Amino acid sequence: MMKDNSDALVINREKIGGRLWLGTSHYPSPEVMLRALDAAQPGFVTVSLRRQTALEVADNGYWAGLQDWMTASDARLLPNTAGCQSASEAIRLAVMARELFGTSWIKLEVIGDDYTLQPHTLELVDAATELCRQGFDVLPYCTDDLVVCEALLRAGCHGVMPWAAPIGTGKGLLNPYQLRTLRERLPEAVIVVDAGIGRPSQAMQAMELGVDAVLLNTAVARAHDPVAMAAAFSAAVVGGRRAWAAGLMAERDIASPSTAVAGLPFWHQPMGRDA
């Protein structure tokens, strides 16, 4: 699918290659992962430092293949601080990731609840404030709380990444009203729906609400055919963005005929002489 560069996503004055962003865990093999990335052509590819050792990052087939793919692609690497439960822990991991991967981009995660994997909003804002001070390009995984998102943006984050539903559940947009509110109240902010998306139709729904991108992993990696699913999500994100840009019709509480006859039902119309 050809990219529409006339509507490119720009974050911190840098053009991002696509509005679908993908994670790299849970795939059946590194080969399947790379084929899925080819099919999706994501703008960002997320990687977790926590599940790698220093030796594995240098030697395993996963990382070597991903490095080669990234070199040939215009996608950007987005290390994350997955698994961190405090601001101090997330900051340390982010600093390590910057040194190891050679990028200032970081997906900031600070988890506050082990059951729902809900972000710890207080620790998250503290971590974001410090990392922005240190010159990181911070994209925080957060809840859809307006006040929290505003605090993260004031801290210097380049956007916010509210969840649609808890990570890995595939439940889709549990609160579309809140996501719509974020778009309306933060019209200039970059908003990326991150976590909980399970189907291409859900990704399209998010894009139709006006968010700037969608980040997902499990829905592609755990599909029966990850490569085909990656292509389906890519098409859904493009379609949803085009629908938003085209201007969606307003919902109505009463029916409105698409072919009106003087505004009256047919049985109220005068009958012709041949009827």
Side-chain angles (χ1 to χ4, degrees):
M1 179 182 297
M2 295 183 63
K3 293 183 179 179
D4 181 7
N5 291 322
S6 66
D7 186 36
L9 175 58
V10 177
I11 304 178
N12 193 32
R13 299 180 298 278
E14 296 190 30
K15 185 180 293 185
I16 308 303
R19 294 177 183 271
L20 173 62
W21 303 356
L22 281 185
T24 54
S25 62
H26 301 309
Y27 286 89
S29 69
E31 292 76 21
V32 171
M33 177 192 71
L34 296 176
R35 289 171 54 212
L37 294 177
D38 272 336
Q41 290 298 301
F44 273 108
V45 175
T46 66
V47 293
S48 174
L49 178 63
R50 181 170 290 278
R51 65 189 183 88
Q52 302 288 341
T53 67
L55 180 63
E56 285 173 340
V57 168
D59 292 344
N60 71 5
Y62 156 84
W63 179 240
L66 183 58
Q67 280 184 307
D68 291 341
W69 187 90
M70 295 292 298
T71 300
S73 167
D74 63 355
R76 297 171 183 271
L77 197 66
L78 185 62
N80 66 44
T81 60
C84 293
Q85 297 182 320
S86 69
S88 59
E89 187 181 8
I91 292 166
R92 286 195 300 271
L93 198 62
V95 171
M96 292 172 60
R98 181 166 60 180
E99 293 299 317
L100 182 61
F101 296 114
T103 179
S104 61
W105 289 99
I106 193 75
K107 176 188 173 184
L108 177 61
E109 297 184 35
V110 184
I111 300 302
D113 181 73
D114 290 335
Y115 181 74
T116 63
L117 300 181
Q118 177 172 321
H120 193 308
T121 54
L122 302 179
E123 295 286 318
L124 182 66
V125 174
D126 287 346
T129 301
E130 175 60 22
L131 290 175
C132 289
R133 189 190 68 80
Q134 293 188 27
F136 281 86
D137 296 303
V138 181
L139 294 170
Y141 164 61
C142 57
T143 63
D144 55 11
D145 184 280
L146 173 62
V147 176
V148 170
C149 289
E150 289 176 328
L152 290 167
L153 293 170
R154 285 196 302 270
C157 296
H158 295 320
V160 290
M161 301 203 296
W163 64 355
I167 295 173
T169 62
K171 290 182 176 296
L173 278 59
L174 295 183
N175 195 345
Y177 168 81
Q178 189 64 14
L179 293 174
R180 185 182 298 111
T181 299
L182 290 179
R183 180 73 289 164
E184 292 172 352
R185 294 290 301 276
L186 306 171
E188 303 301 322
V190 172
I191 300 175
V192 180
V193 166
D194 177 14
I197 297 293
R199 301 182 181 186
S201 58
Q202 296 165 353
M204 177 175 279
Q205 181 188 8
M207 296 301 295
E208 288 174 349
L209 291 175
V211 304
D212 296 285
V214 171
L215 194 160
L216 55 92
N217 183 183
T218 308
V220 169
R222 295 297 196 194
H224 294 302
D225 186 340
V227 179
M229 188 62 75
F233 268 104
S234 179
V237 167
V238 170
R241 178 64 184 180
R242 289 177 176 172
W244 164 257
L248 298 166
M249 67 169 285
E251 294 184 2
R252 297 170 56 94
D253 292 328
I254 59 174
S256 177
S258 57
T259 304
V261 181
L264 296 175
F266 72 91
W267 58 84
H268 286 176
Q269 299 300 315
M271 302 297 287
R273 286 183 295 178
D274 296 333

